[in-house]
Amino acid sequence: MKNAGIGDYSSAERQMYRMDKNTEDLRQRRAQRPVIDVFDRRILAALAADSSQSYARLGESVGLSAPAVHERVRRLKQSGAIKGVHAALDGAALGKPLLAFVHVEAAGWGKSERLMQVLRFPEVEEMHSVAGDASVLFKVRTASPQALEAFLAQIHAVPGVTGTRSYIALSTYLERPVQAGVTESWPDLRPQD
């Protein structure tokens, strides 16, 4: 063999240096977003409206066979597009009629181990790290203003919390889970002359 560049080797010698093993699995793969088509969106919208539907009923509403819907739902679950199936509970019927959004202001990064501990309370429905003048936003549902006050006391006991702002919902006009639809073109809402 020669010590020159690869072009100086014969094809038999070059073959000897090729890897016979498939190394594709050694590369880290990026998580791929699932390709969601019009039928998937119809299925997702129907499931969001009523997740207890049979595959046959779903198929009738979206124009596919029950086995085709079953396969698509399986794929959507596997891809993570469907995180789970949940019952929609009524807060007032469960004795928690007070809905509030609590902005937490903190010195430094707000998401601390201690702040994460408040997630154990069933009153906490959502927690978001947010940009702006607050660092964390909670959606909480409590039995009364006094229960909200007790929750706020837990928040204020967390080291680094410098303040909170609470917004109590008086009426709810829309509350829904993530929707399958996507707005392709936003309408022009400017006033006409």
Side-chain angles (χ1 to χ4, degrees):
M1 283 192 226
K2 301 177 185 174
N3 287 333
I6 191 93
D8 295 332
Y9 290 94
S10 69
S11 64
E13 289 172 322
R14 282 194 301 263
Q15 183 65 30
M16 186 173 69
Y17 288 101
R18 274 196 197 129
M19 294 180 72
D20 291 330
K21 260 170 110 177
N22 181 357
T23 59
E24 285 298 311
D25 60 331
L26 297 178
R27 256 188 254 169
Q28 283 196 347
R29 296 181 189 260
R30 288 188 198 147
Q32 300 236 344
R33 295 180 77 187
V35 176
I36 297 177
D37 66 14
V38 117
F39 286 109
D40 290 336
R41 289 193 187 281
R42 288 180 189 162
I43 291 167
L44 292 168
L47 285 173
D50 180 6
S51 63
S52 66
Q53 297 180 62
S54 68
Y55 291 124
R57 188 165 152 214
L58 272 171
E60 288 173 12
S61 68
V62 302
L64 293 172
S65 69
V69 170
H70 180 267
E71 178 57 29
R72 284 175 177 265
V73 169
R74 184 198 62 74
R75 182 179 46 80
L76 290 165
K77 284 180 179 178
Q78 190 176 42
S79 74
I82 297 176
K83 290 183 177 183
V85 180
H86 312 280
L89 306 178
D90 183 272
L94 295 174
K96 297 192 287 186
L98 185 71
L99 173 63
F101 297 89
V102 179
H103 291 215
V104 178
E105 299 163 7
W109 188 248
K111 187 185 133 191
S112 66
E113 185 178 323
R114 174 64 176 90
L115 190 59
M116 297 298 285
Q117 289 179 15
V118 300
L119 297 179
R120 72 179 188 266
F121 299 121
E123 288 77 12
V124 177
E125 293 185 358
E126 297 177 15
M127 177 185 180
H128 305 275
S129 175
V130 295
D133 56 353
S135 57
V136 175
L137 171 66
F138 286 101
K139 177 183 176 186
V140 296
R141 199 175 299 267
T142 64
S144 64
Q146 293 77 21
L148 178 60
E149 184 177 25
F151 173 77
L152 292 172
Q154 292 293 316
I155 298 294
H156 281 277
V158 174
V161 169
T162 59
T164 61
R165 280 183 286 143
S166 300
Y167 300 90
I168 296 174
L170 301 176
S171 297
T172 299
Y173 300 110
L174 176 66
E175 186 173 48
R176 62 183 177 194
V178 174
Q179 299 296 292
V182 175
T183 303
E184 297 294 334
S185 176
W186 292 92
D188 184 6
L189 299 177
R190 291 178 289 189
Q192 301 297 322
D193 291 330

